[in-house]
Amino acid sequence: IGIAMQKSIVFASSMSPSRTLMLAGMVLLLPFATYRQNYSSSDQSTNKFFHKYAMSILETLPKNSLLLSNYDQQWTSIRYMQECEGVRKDITSINLSMMTFEWWQTKISLYEDVRFPGTHYTKGNTLPWLNGGFTFSEFIDANAEHFGSNIFIGGRLNY
C-alpha cells in the first residue's frame, strides 16, 4: 500500500494542478456515487421482519413468563424490543446457548428472579456437570415454583 501511495503521489505531482484537482475530485466523489446508485437496494429502513417476529413471540406470552431462546436472531430481536423499545419488560428472556459457557456464572446476577442450580447449562452425568453445571431438568425444577407453567422454549434444546 505504501509503495502504491508513493507512486500515486509521484504520478499526481507530475500532473498539472488542474488535473490533480480533477483527479482528487473524482476520487472523493466515487464513494458518494456508489452510495447514491445502491441506496434503494440497500435501504432497510422499512424492513420490519425482526420487529414483527419479536412482537409475535412477546405478545403471546403470559405476564411474568420466562422465555428460553435458542436462536440468536430470536433472542437479539426480543432483547432489542425489551431493552430499546420497552416492550414486555415483564418477560425474562435468556439465551440458552450462552448458558452453556462456564463464563455464564458471571451473568447470573443479571437475572434476579431466575434460580440457577449451578454455574452453567450442560449435559447430565458429565465432568462439566460434576464440576457445577446443571441440566435443563434441574433448571426447570429450580424455577417451577416462581414461574409455574410460564416457562417457554424458543427453538430446540442443545442437550
Side-chain angles (χ1 to χ4, degrees), residues 95-118:
N95 186 315
L96 277 172
S97 297
M98 286 202 283
M99 283 180 25
T100 64
F101 296 100
E102 290 185 25
W103 55 256
W104 175 254
Q105 63 188 324
T106 64
K107 303 297 180 190
I108 288 174
S109 62
L110 299 173
Y111 299 92
E112 296 173 5
D113 294 337
V114 180
R115 307 294 172 254
F116 294 92

Side-chain angles (χ1 to χ4, degrees), residues 48-59 73-91 93:
K48 303 293 182 192
F49 175 79
F50 288 108
H51 175 269
K52 290 177 183 177
Y53 179 58
M55 291 303 292
S56 70
I57 294 168
L58 289 170
E59 288 175 343
Q73 292 173 336
Q74 182 183 76
W75 187 72
T76 54
S77 300
I78 288 168
R79 292 296 292 167
Y80 172 81
M81 293 306 296
Q82 290 182 309
E83 298 302 320
C84 299
E85 303 292 333
V87 175
R88 294 300 307 268
K89 295 194 67 107
D90 62 296
I91 304 295
S93 62

